[in-house]
C-alpha cells in the first residue's frame, strides 16, 4: 500500500507520511483470508471489479477498497490478479465500465480478453463512520463461490473523503490503480501566527485537500485541529500552494484528495 499523505515540516521540507499502520494491517489480513479461499477453490486468475454502494451504483470509496484489495491480493502466490488498469482500458474502448461487467455479454468479452476464472465484486455501506464491505466471489458463469465481510472504522481522512463525496466532489486516490502523487511546485511554509492570539504551542494541523486538474488546492477542510488560529494559518497557506497535478495510469492529469499535514514548530535543529 503506497503512502498517500503529504507532510510539511514548516520551513524545512516536505515528506510523505505512511498510511495508518493499523488500517493497512487490517486490510492486508482480510486480503490474506480471501487469498486462502481463492487458493482452496482452485481459482487461477481473479479480477476485482469496482465495489459499489448498496444500490449497485459507482462509489468512490468502493473504488478505493477494490483497488486496495486487488493490490494486496496481487502480493499472494498461487493465483494471478488481473490488472485493473488494463481491464479498465479494455472496457473503456467499448464505452463500458466495471458496472457493466455484470452483463453476460460484457463479462464474456472480458473473460475472453483477460482470462479470469473468478470475479470478486463488493458493496460498501457506511453507517456512523463505520464502513462495511460485503464481497462475493463468483465464477464466470455467475455462480457464487463464497462471501466475506470486512468492517473498518473509517479514519478521519476517509471520513473527510466521504463528506466530500456527499457534497458532489469527484476525485481519485493516490496509489490506487496507478494514480500518481501530485508534486509541489510552489508550497511555501505558513507563517507562525504571531500577534493573532496564538498560544505558544507546537503541533500538527491535518487538512483534507483536493488537488485539482490545474494543480490548485481546493475544497479544503480541517481533519485534525491544533487550535483555530493555527488551523486558519494552515488553510490560508495551503490555499496558495500549486502542484504538478497527479496523473492516472495513462498519464492524464487526475484530481485527487489527500491529507496534508502542516507541522508548526518554533525551532528546528538540522542534523
Amino acid at each position: 500500500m503506497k503512502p498517500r499523505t503529504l507532510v510539511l515540516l514548516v520551513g524545512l521540507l516536505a515528506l510523505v507520511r505512511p498510511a495508518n499502520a493499523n488500517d493497512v494491517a487490517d486490510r492486508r489480513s482480510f486480503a490474506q483470508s480471501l487469498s486462502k479461499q481463492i487458493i482452496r477453490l482452485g481459482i487461477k486468475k481473479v479480477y476485482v471489479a469496482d465495489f459499489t454502494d448498496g444500490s449497485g451504483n459507482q462509489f468512490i470509496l468502493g473504488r478505493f477498497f477494490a483497488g486496495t484489495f486487488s493490490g494486496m491480493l496481487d502480493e499472494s502466490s498461487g493465483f494471478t490478479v488481473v490488472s485493473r488498469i488494463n481491464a479498465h482500458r479494455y472496457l473503456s474502448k467499448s464505452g463500458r465500465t466495471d458496472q457493466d461487467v455484470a452483463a453476460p455479454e460484457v463479462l464474456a468479452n472480458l473473460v475472453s480478453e483477460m482470462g479470469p476464472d473468478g470475479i470478486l465484486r463488493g458493496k460498501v455501506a457506511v453507517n456512523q463512520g463505520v464502513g462495511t464491505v460485503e464481497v462475493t466471489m463468483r465464477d464466470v458463469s455467475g455462480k457464487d463461490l463464497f462471501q466475506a465481510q470486512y468492517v473498518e472504522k473509517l479514519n478521519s481522512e476517509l471520513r473527510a473523503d466521504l463528506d466530500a463525496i456527499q457534497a458532489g466532489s469527484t476525485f481519485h486516490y493516490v496509489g490506487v490503480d496507478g494514480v500518481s502523487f501530485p508534486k509541489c511546485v510552489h508550497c511555501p511554509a505558513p507563517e507562525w501566527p504571531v500577534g493573532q492570539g496564538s498560544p505558544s504551542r507546537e503541533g500538527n494541523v491535518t487538512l483534507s485537500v483536493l488537488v485539482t486538474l490545474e494543480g490548485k488546492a481546493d475544497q479544503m477542510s480541517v481533519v485534525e485541529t491544533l487550535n483555530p488560529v493555527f488551523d486558519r494559518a494552515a488553510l490560508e497557506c495551503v490555499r496558495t500552494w500549486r502542484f504538478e497535478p497527479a496523473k492516472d495510469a495513462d498519464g492524464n492529469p487526475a484530481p485527487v484528495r489527500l491529507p496534508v499535514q502542516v507541522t508548526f514548530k518554533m525551532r528546528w535543529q538540522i542534523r
Side-chain angles (χ1 to χ4, degrees), residues 16-48:
V16 175
R17 185 182 71 183
N20 183 286
N22 290 334
D23 291 341
V24 173
D26 289 344
R27 294 167 192 164
R28 180 161 283 114
S29 177
F30 179 68
Q32 289 171 347
S33 70
L34 293 178
S35 296
K36 291 178 181 178
Q37 296 190 71
I38 291 169
I39 293 170
R40 178 178 57 81
L41 288 168
I43 298 170
K44 298 301 180 183
K45 199 169 189 178
V46 176
Y47 178 57
V48 183

Side-chain angles (χ1 to χ4, degrees), residues 67 69 79 89 99 109 114 128 135 152 156 165 176 181 203 212 244 252 255 264:
F69 289 135
F79 59 91
R89 286 172 178 160
Q99 278 191 296
N109 290 336
M114 302 288 175
Q128 297 183 340
V135 300
E152 176 176 309
S156 57
I165 294 166
V176 175
F181 203 96
T212 69
E244 179 183 320
N252 301 312
F264 289 90

Side-chain angles (χ1 to χ4, degrees), residues 57-90:
N57 298 317
Q58 288 184 323
F59 188 29
I60 296 175
L61 280 183
R63 186 191 309 149
F64 168 74
F65 281 113
T68 297
F69 289 135
S70 180
M72 290 178 172
L73 287 173
D74 199 31
E75 299 170 0
S76 303
S77 58
F79 59 91
T80 303
V81 178
V82 173
S83 166
R84 282 171 47 84
I85 295 171
N86 292 340
H88 290 169
R89 286 172 178 160
Y90 171 73

